[in-house]
Amino acid sequence: MTLKQKIISKQAIVGIIGLGYVGLPLAIEFVNAGYKVIGFDVNEKKIDSLLHGQSYVLDVQSDIVKKYVDEGKLIPTTDFSKISEVDTLSICVPTPLRKTKDPDISYIVNAVNEIKKYFHKDLLIVLESTTYPGTTEELVQKEIESMGYKVGEDFYLCFSPERVDPGNKKYNTKNTPKVIGGVTKKCLELAYLLYSSAIDTVIPVSSTKVAEMVKLLENTFRAVNIGLVNELAMMCDRMGIDIWEVVDAAATKPFGFMPFYPGPGIGGHCIPLDPQYLSWKAKTYDFYNKFIELASDINGNMPRYVVTKVSEVLNRYKKCINGSKILLLGMAYKKDIDDIRESPSLEIYRMLKEQGAILDYNDPYAVEFMDEKGNIVKSFELNYKTLSIYDCVILCTDHSCYDYEKIVEEARVIIDARNAFKGFIDKKYIKLGSPIYDGDTGIYDYIKEIAVAKERIDKK
Ligand SMILES: NC(=O)c1ccc[n+]([C@@H]2O[C@H](COP(=O)([O-])OP(=O)(O)OC[C@H]3O[C@@H](n4cnc5c(N)ncnc54)[C@H](O)[C@@H]3O)[C@@H](O)[C@H]2O)c1
């Protein structure tokens, strides 16, 4: 049976290398589509957890994992010799940065080395890890061809960027359109067939380099726009203008504008890192991406800006950071998820600690983290009634489960980096990129009245 026939008849065995935020949901979608999936990971704890029916990814339910593992449809393993049993392999390993901000492609290299050990003809390999243009050809094609096999004849190779947005209730792995580029037409044809049997919309492009670049454009676009609005937030702060109100009003323009919101900085495994991959590769072509560097600089400095704000606010109460009792709400890099990778909250926590603050943090999802000295710091149980013991509460991540009304009632001073307390105006409330309350709420009350009246009319 040819690989094409195996894919069409769902008899192909799908392999996934790297069962993290990207790989595990993808594995589940391939099982949902009717394939048997072998999932490979080097992390024994994760494999053990899956074998016991426990998911560690918020978007993947444990009962689904348990069902599929029990039925033998999902086989999680650390045994890479099982690569010899699979027909397709999607590589979803991390692509972090080194301390020097250069791409760390060692995870891809390690995965490819395992593939080389157990390689067999007719294997379809799809690299999904976000990386610089040229990686698929330079790190995968070259390596496999060095063993005497020809791409498009003996094996098939594609790149398909992963766009999953953890915590997104509307868009998931299945209904987020997926771009795929192949090294040859046959490579693309097979991958298109496989992925369109599991994902709603697949968008073919003419090369792996185009597919690699698509992901970098998407995330550079986000990083640059967030950088722009963060810079404007700092400017608005100085000019006494509410950036959030400005963005919301600008967003009513039905064309030519897309809202981006400021915040305490950017985090996660994608937005802070991916543009650096592009910028690094561009330099090898003697090309310097000024937008990327500028956005990285502005976004990277936002945690420091938040800390400066804390210092300014405490100063109004004749206090300083040193010795003040501060509560930080939200350690994850964005709302309703547990991912703390590159989270700006970590940096804010570190800086406040360094300046002598007596700190607690709460995050219902990110329940612990390791500080730079290697100590495990645990989330403090949130007791709304005792919030007044803190000199200041900083809202870093706007998790939906927080009771914002109770925080407002009990906290002595609130610094909001996310516009989470929408519409709240008070002397004790300080919002990033916004003027401090001046005592006259009349105009805001009038605007609210109009909004309420409009809602009433719209409902009729
Ligand atoms: N997390 C996201 O929201 C997201 C979104 C889009 C794209 N991406 C990209 O997808 C890729 C994976 O990201 P992630 O968030 O899933 O990372 P992750 O850290 O959650 O998962 C990666 C997994 O790969 C495993 N691994 C590492 N080396 C391995 C090896 N040699 N063989 C087998 N397994 C190995 C790790 O143990 C881990 O379980 C990255 O390139 C990332 O940039 C991530």
Side-chain angles (χ1 to χ4, degrees):
M1 197 187 275
T2 64
L3 178 57
K4 188 174 174 179
Q5 287 164 335
K6 282 188 191 174
I7 294 172
I8 293 170
S9 63
K10 305 277 172 76
Q11 288 180 60
I13 299 181
V14 170
I16 308 279
I17 301 189
L19 296 173
Y21 288 97
V22 164
L24 185 59
L26 185 67
I28 297 293
E29 281 316 325
F30 278 123
V31 179
N32 287 342
Y35 298 98
K36 177 171 152 183
V37 174
I38 303 184
F40 301 88
D41 206 291
V42 287
N43 186 323
E44 284 178 12
K45 266 195 189 158
K46 284 189 176 172
I47 294 300
D48 204 44
S49 163
L50 295 174
L51 287 171
H52 285 88
Q54 274 299 317
S55 170
Y56 41 79
V57 171
L58 277 178
D59 295 334
V60 174
Q61 307 289 325
S62 289
D63 51 351
I64 300 281
V65 170
K66 185 169 175 5
K67 180 173 182 291
Y68 286 168
V69 169
D70 287 350
E71 290 172 355
K73 292 177 179 167
L74 174 64
I75 303 169
T77 182
T78 52
D79 177 6
F80 285 81
S81 70
K82 283 185 179 297
I83 287 177
S84 53
E85 297 173 28
V86 303
D87 297 293
T88 75
L89 264 179
S90 303
I91 307 174
C92 310
V93 295
T95 41
L97 290 174
R98 298 188 191 284
K99 281 217 167 83
T100 49
K101 296 232 167 174
D102 294 343
D104 176 359
I105 37 97
S106 61
Y107 297 86
I108 299 181
V109 170
N110 291 343
V112 172
N113 284 339
E114 293 295 341
I115 298 173
K116 280 171 76 179
K117 275 194 229 162
Y118 305 105
F119 180 84
H120 58 83
K121 272 192 169 187
D122 259 357
L123 187 62
L124 166 64
I125 303 168
V126 182
L127 179 61
E128 295 222 3
S129 302
T130 308
T131 181
Y132 52 79
T135 310
T136 311
E137 289 171 2
E138 291 163 24
L139 294 185
V140 192
Q141 182 185 344
K142 229 179 182 174
E143 283 299 312
I144 309 266
E145 288 197 330
S146 73
M147 299 195 299
Y149 299 108
K150 182 101 188 82
V151 72
E153 292 172 17
D154 302 317
F155 71 103
Y156 309 99
L157 180 61
C158 290
F159 183 84
S160 177
E162 183 51 65
R163 288 166 154 171
V164 68
D165 180 20
N168 192 320
K169 299 274 179 271
K170 187 170 174 199
Y171 291 107
N172 49 43
T173 302
K174 184 165 168 52
N175 66 7
T176 304
K178 197 139 174 53
V179 170
I180 294 191
V183 177
T184 69
K185 179 173 163 263
K186 182 84 189 281
C187 300
L188 178 63
E189 190 195 342
L190 289 168
Y192 184 83
L193 210 54
L194 173 71
Y195 277 75
S196 34
S197 66
I199 310 284
D200 292 349
T201 313
V202 178
I203 292 122
V205 294
S206 63
S207 69
T208 51
K209 272 188 182 156
V210 168
E212 288 160 336
M213 188 61 205
V214 167
K215 175 75 186 175
L216 298 179
L217 168 63
E218 289 166 9
N219 281 354
T220 300
F221 174 82
R222 278 191 71 72
V224 167
N225 279 289
I226 294 170
L228 170 67
V229 82
N230 275 335
E231 186 183 61
L232 293 180
M234 291 186 279
M235 183 200 75
C236 281
D237 186 344
R238 208 172 290 182
M239 294 170 82
I241 301 168
D242 183 336
I243 184 71
W244 307 88
E245 192 181 357
V246 173
V247 174
D248 283 343
T252 59
K253 185 180 176 191
F255 46 86
F257 183 82
M258 194 183 194
F260 282 85
Y261 295 95
I266 50 175
H269 190 37
C270 295
I271 314 293
L273 275 59
D274 301 352
Q276 298 300 323
Y277 266 70
L278 181 57
S279 168
W280 176 85
K281 189 63 178 177
K283 282 187 194 125
T284 67
Y285 287 80
D286 231 350
F287 192 96
Y288 296 84
N289 297 89
K290 298 191 189 68
F291 274 113
I292 292 179
E293 299 306 326
L294 183 60
S296 161
D297 192 30
I298 293 171
N299 293 329
N301 272 312
M302 288 311 284
R304 189 167 291 279
Y305 172 64
V306 174
V307 172
T308 310
K309 202 84 207 150
V310 176
S311 179
E312 271 174 35
V313 170
L314 289 172
N315 193 43
R316 283 169 50 206
Y317 296 89
K318 299 191 170 42
K319 289 186 182 225
C320 61
I321 290 176
N322 195 350
S324 283
K325 210 162 162 33
I326 297 176
L327 174 67
L328 194 154
L329 293 176
M331 195 52 74
Y333 80 91
K334 69 171 185 177
K335 73 192 282 187
D336 302 340
I337 64 162
D338 61 352
D339 194 351
I340 57 166
R341 291 176 296 178
E342 316 291 327
S343 174
S345 302
L346 294 169
E347 189 61 2
I348 293 169
Y349 186 96
R350 186 192 64 75
M351 282 191 270
L352 289 172
K353 191 101 194 162
E354 201 175 78
Q355 294 186 35
I358 303 161
L359 269 176
D360 285 327
Y361 97 88
N362 170 272
D363 193 309
Y365 304 104
V367 292
E368 62 176 39
F369 71 92
M370 192 186 283
D371 71 10
E372 69 289 350
K373 288 183 185 142
N375 302 314
I376 299 289
V377 184
K378 290 196 183 293
S379 169
F380 196 77
E381 198 174 327
L382 187 56
N383 181 350
Y384 293 100
K385 286 263 169 283
T386 58
L387 282 182
S388 62
I389 63 167
Y390 296 101
D391 295 299
C392 168
V393 173
I394 312 170
L395 190 283
C396 285
T397 314
D398 50 341
H399 290 310
S400 311
C401 57
Y402 285 141
D403 188 329
Y404 293 97
E405 277 180 23
K406 277 194 187 151
I407 297 173
V408 159
E409 268 168 35
E410 303 295 338
R412 273 153 59 187
V413 177
I414 302 164
I415 295 182
D416 179 6
R418 299 281 187 178
N419 194 25
F421 300 81
K422 288 186 179 70
F424 181 64
I425 302 163
D426 194 272
K427 270 198 221 73
K428 72 173 186 182
Y429 174 66
I430 295 94
K431 192 168 58 173
L432 221 68
S434 174
I436 292 172
Y437 162 75
D438 68 356
D440 176 13
T441 60
I443 194 112
Y444 298 104
D445 294 341
Y446 173 64
I447 292 169
K448 264 189 213 157
E449 272 170 36
I450 294 177
V452 172
K454 191 175 174 310
E455 210 180 306
R456 221 180 289 133
I457 294 166
D458 289 348
K459 268 187 192 158
K460 275 188 188 165

